[in-house]
Amino acid sequence: MTATATRQAEPMAPPFRRRAELIIAGVGMAACAVLQGGFALVITRSDDAALESTIVPALRSAGLDLAEADAHVALNTMAAWFGFSFIVVALCTAIGFFFARLRPRRRATGLCFLAAGLACLFGTQFVLYPVAFFFLVSAALFAVRTATPRSSS
């Protein structure tokens, strides 16, 4: 008997999908795109007049004390930081989605979503901790959920 014949005689493992993990990570990625990417886009595309007339007063009413002189610099720095961390989160999530589809039985794929959650958490300076929670839950599900064999009938 050849090696090919013995491989064909072995039963195939039932398909296993990481649907819950991918949906949770997808929701986190969408929220991250809207909040992080939106903030970075609005702040970087605003000119000085729009920044001083609309955005700075709104941030002051929300409780963020910004000095008149360095408000523009502080907001552009924060927007750049949010934009960079959004790119890191998007890359980690894309890599995680790729490996979750390619080899769904591997638990190590959860490390990509853990990295995305930590990048979201530290990149926004703990502001978007509810969004980072989605990535951390997805990483935890990768660690906890195992492939359970199903009956063929």
Side-chain angles (χ1 to χ4, degrees):
M1 194 175 253
T2 64
T4 315
T6 57
R7 280 192 207 139
Q8 290 175 353
E10 294 175 2
M12 293 292 296
F16 180 65
R17 296 189 180 119
R18 296 278 187 175
R19 184 174 290 149
E21 291 90 337
L22 294 179
I23 288 173
I24 292 170
V27 168
M29 185 62 215
C32 194
V34 168
L35 297 173
Q36 271 185 299
F39 181 82
L41 186 69
V42 166
I43 297 297
T44 55
R45 297 292 180 189
S46 300
D47 57 348
D48 290 335
L51 198 67
E52 291 296 327
S53 65
T54 57
I55 297 171
V56 172
L59 289 174
R60 284 196 182 123
S61 67
L64 185 65
D65 292 329
L66 293 171
E68 288 289 330
D70 61 338
H72 183 56
V73 173
L75 288 175
N76 277 330
T77 302
M78 188 182 294
W81 189 248
F82 274 32
F84 176 73
S85 63
F86 172 65
I87 291 171
V88 172
V89 168
L91 286 174
C92 290
T93 305
I95 292 168
F97 268 79
F98 175 74
F99 284 121
R101 292 285 185 189
L102 184 67
R103 296 177 187 239
R105 295 182 187 276
R106 291 187 63 187
R107 290 182 175 183
T109 306
L111 293 175
C112 294
F113 294 112
L114 177 66
L118 292 176
C120 180
L121 193 63
F122 292 123
T124 61
Q125 298 147 4
F126 297 96
V127 172
L128 290 182
Y129 66 90
V131 176
F133 182 72
F134 286 113
F135 295 112
L136 298 177
V137 165
S138 180
L141 285 176
F142 266 97
V144 173
R145 262 181 82 203
T146 58
T148 56
R150 296 183 190 173
S151 64
S152 60
S153 58

